[in-house]
Structure formats: C-alpha cells, structure tokens
Amino acid sequence: MSDHEHTGVTLFTSESVSMGHPDKVADQISDCVLDSLIGPDPMARVAVETLVTTGLVVVAGEVTVHNQAARDALGNVEDTIRDTIRKIGYVDSDCGFDYRSCGVMRAIHSQSPDISQGVTEGQGLHAEQGAGDQGLMFGFACDETEALMPMPIQLAHRLVGRLAELRERGEIKWLRPDAKSQVTVRYNDGVPTGIHAVVVSTQHSEAVLDPKRKDRMSDDARKEIITKVIRPVIERERPDFWSDSIEMHINPTGKFVVGGPHGDCGLTGRKIIVDTYGGRGRHGGGAFSGKDPTKVDRSAAYMARHIAKNIVAAELAQQCEVQLAYAIGVAKPLSVAVDCFGTSEVPRARLERMVQDIFPLKPAEIIKYLDLRRPVYLETARNGHFGRTGPGFTWEQTHRAADLRAAAGVLQAV
C-alpha cells in the first residue's frame, strides 16, 4: 500500500517504539526540559538535544528564558530529567540505566542572536515574527481509522502503549520498559482488509527465560503477549480483523533482557517516522522533540496535520497530504500544497485556496491558534504525535470541517 492508487492486494508495514526505547527516552528528556521552561516562561526559546547511553545522559542545546522562575527551572533541570527517567520506568540499576545513578551532563547556552532577531516580532528584516528556520513540513490524514490515521502506525502505537499500561499496572510483572512493535496491514484496492503480520519485541526479566533454553523467552510468555497485548489491541480497533492466521513474531531473536540505553545509545529526533505516519505520506526531515513552537519543524507540522485531518473529516477526501514551506525569519509560508491522491472531487487549486483562506499559516498565528505556548510536549514524545486525544493535542481537533464543507460548496458553485 502506498499513497498512490493501487489495485489488487497489497501490504504496508509501520513500526512504533515504546516510551522506554532509548531514542524515545532521549525525546522525552528533551521535551521534559522544554515543558519545564515554557510553563513558567511561555516565550522561552528552546532547542535541546539529548543523548542517552549506559549510565549517562547528555543534554545540549540553546535556551533563552526571560524570568526568574524559568531560570530556576533551568537550574533544576537535572532533577526534572531524573524524574522523567523514573516515570519511564528505569528504576533498577540491574537494567544498566536508572534514574538515581545515571550521570547527567548539560551543555546548554543561549540562542544565537542572529536567529533570534528573525523570530522576534519587530526585529530583523521583517516586522512580523518569522519562522525559526527554513524547511518543509508535511501533514497527513486518511479515513482508515477513527483517528483518521493510517491503520498500520495506529495499531503499532497501540501495541507499545498496551505494553506500557500492563507493565505500569503490574499485570505482567516481567516486562521492562524497552519495546518495539510492527504491524503489516493487508489492503485490497487501497482499503484495509486484514492484518497480515505483527511483530512485538519487548524487554523482559530473566524470570521468563525458557528453563531448558536460556537463550529464548518461554512459550508461555509469548502466549501472554498475544492474549493480553496483541489480540485486545486489534479487537479494540477492528474486531473483524482478528484471526488465528495472523503471522506472529514475539521477540524473534529469542530473548531481550539487555535493552534501553544500556543496550543501545539513544538520540533525540531519531524516530521521525514513528512520530508521524509510519511511512505513509512524505516527511520534511525535521524532528519535533526539544523544540519550542517558534520552530516550524514542529508547529507547522502540527498545523499541516490539523489541515489534512479536517479535510478528511469534512469528507472532501479519503486521504490528504498537506505541505507547508517556510524561510527563516519570514512569516508568510513560501508554498502551500494539498494532495488528495485522486480521492477528492474538489480541484487541487481550490483546496489550496480554501486552506489559505480558512487556516492561519504564519508562525505566530499557528502558535496562537493551536495554543502551543504551554507545557504539553512531554506527552507527545511517546506513542506518536498524531492520532491522539487529550487537551494538549489541539491539532487533532476537527472543528473546521464544517467551514471546509461550506467553502467547498461555494467554490464548486462558481
């Protein structure tokens, strides 16, 4: 399954990673630092990167704050980081990484004044607040799921979310924080018709190793993953898609005891496809975590998703991809592109004009419209930035669908 029109049976696969995956640990640390600063200082400028490895966290980047409360938060950033690691689940030194004993190094300095003048209203060459960098951002939506997300990535996110839920509640006591999932969906003429394969690799304690073969997880543990994780997730999303014929791979290497930052070095921004649409649609290349909303890599990508989702929610298309592009220091987007892959009866040029008429697209307007100057970012750094619910996920609202339908009716009558 691709974004373009296909006939016959095709397969499409997406993956997700858990909150305890080392790259996601890094993302969450970057976003917890952002939240701790933008809470007391909504105008804070933050661009923070994180590296995690065995017993070590390194946080580096650029930060500018404007009041004492934010300066105090910056001074307490080590405690903020340790608390986030604790909440992720790294609480045992046997994992090779835990919140009490890990070292925390910080290399944070102020934002470049050359960048700042392009983003600060009334400074630089332009009077309006400009984009924090050049770049292109994509948003995508389709009608495959209730959340208007592609089904493979939606199911993959739900699987790692379910693993975390069972671990945190103590229902599966041998689970550890690191995990990955992968789902292959079968399509017929572009419509999802079933699940072809599921892969779940989850870190675990030695308690569930096969007593006869210490290099593999026991069969009982594998069955527990199927009955308590995989089947409930699929049946909740699409009960008709559950089948005993689904190809299952549970910890296919055999065992997964060594994991997390001890097993792999983690870096902020290394899971951009997991963060977005699982390979459906295109990606502009910019990561999200650790960036305040003046960075259009984040805010404009959220707006592009909001636009695409509203177009699909308005039933003007079955799938939609929106591209926005910006120049650093310039407020007005350089281009706005809408592609519905042949699923819309509204001409592309008209859709693009409607988008520019209905949605605010300048960086300052996006920030205000989506209410982005508040500490909502840590939650986005796990289980995907899109297809989510909750007060922080303003870009997931579909309240402009009626405006789009009305505009489409007016335009089609011209």
Side-chain angles (χ1 to χ4, degrees), residues 79-99:
D79 291 339
T80 302
I81 290 168
R82 291 188 188 278
D83 189 52
T84 298
I85 295 168
R86 178 186 64 79
K87 291 175 180 176
I88 291 170
Y90 287 108
V91 297
D92 188 345
S93 59
D94 288 345
C95 289
F97 185 82
D98 79 280
Y99 79 100

Side-chain angles (χ1 to χ4, degrees), residues 101-379:
S101 64
C102 67
V104 178
M105 295 178 59
R106 46 182 287 183
I108 296 173
H109 56 88
S110 61
Q111 183 187 43
S112 160
D114 298 343
I115 295 175
S116 179
Q117 73 173 8
V119 184
T120 303
E121 187 173 349
Q123 294 185 12
L125 295 177
H126 305 276
E128 294 182 273
Q129 176 185 320
D133 201 353
Q134 71 175 46
L136 51 142
M137 301 83 209
F138 289 96
F140 183 81
C142 63
D143 63 0
E144 293 177 13
T145 62
E146 186 177 341
L148 302 186
M149 287 286 286
M151 184 170 289
I153 188 66
Q154 189 77 351
L155 288 172
H157 285 326
R158 296 296 173 262
L159 288 171
V160 293
R162 176 71 174 165
L163 285 169
E165 176 188 335
L166 294 174
R167 173 177 58 84
E168 291 172 343
R169 294 202 313 232
E171 292 189 31
I172 302 182
K173 297 185 183 303
W174 48 263
L175 286 174
R176 295 295 180 264
D178 194 1
K180 300 180 80 170
S181 65
Q182 188 168 287
V183 178
T184 302
V185 173
R186 183 170 55 254
Y187 292 80
N188 194 347
D189 293 337
V191 178
T193 57
I195 309 298
H196 175 74
V198 174
V199 182
V200 172
S201 294
T202 181
Q203 188 184 13
H204 57 84
S205 71
E206 294 190 0
V208 292
L209 292 176
D210 190 319
K212 296 180 180 179
R213 292 190 57 183
K214 293 295 185 179
D215 63 344
R216 59 168 289 166
M217 173 193 274
S218 71
D219 289 339
D220 286 344
R222 294 173 192 274
K223 290 176 184 175
E224 195 168 9
I225 292 296
I226 293 171
T227 58
K228 292 186 177 180
V229 178
I230 298 173
R231 183 167 186 168
V233 164
I234 292 175
E235 289 187 334
R236 188 179 305 151
E237 185 71 41
R238 283 295 298 266
D240 55 320
F241 280 10
W242 173 255
S243 167
D244 291 335
S245 65
I246 296 172
E247 187 176 331
M248 299 283 187
H249 298 277
I250 315 300
N251 281 21
T253 65
K255 69 174 185 177
F256 185 1
V257 173
V258 178
H262 182 48
D264 261 319
C265 181
L267 294 169
T268 298
R270 204 159 57 177
K271 286 291 175 282
I272 59 176
I273 299 303
V274 170
D275 283 345
T276 51
Y277 309 102
R280 288 287 297 279
R282 285 165 279 202
H283 198 293
F288 298 153
S289 290
K291 296 177 181 177
D292 74 76
T294 67
K295 281 71 173 174
V296 284
D297 275 342
R298 184 168 217 161
S299 53
Y302 290 171
M303 178 56 86
R305 159 65 177 174
H306 179 64
I307 296 166
K309 186 175 184 181
N310 274 270
I311 289 172
V312 175
E315 300 182 350
L316 299 181
Q318 293 171 289
Q319 57 178 310
C320 178
E321 179 183 82
V322 174
Q323 185 202 48
L324 305 174
Y326 294 85
I328 187 169
V330 179
K332 186 178 179 181
L334 301 182
S335 64
V336 177
V338 179
D339 190 348
C340 295
F341 310 101
T343 68
S344 177
E345 295 184 3
V346 182
R348 176 171 179 164
R350 290 180 174 178
L351 273 174
E352 291 170 350
R353 193 161 77 243
M354 288 160 53
V355 164
Q356 293 175 76
D357 289 342
I358 292 171
F359 295 94
L361 300 177
K362 295 178 180 179
E365 295 173 342
I366 292 173
I367 291 169
K368 182 178 180 181
Y369 176 83
L370 295 178
D371 195 12
L372 298 179
R373 290 198 186 277
R374 56 197 179 111
V376 297
Y377 297 105
L378 176 57
E379 188 61 33

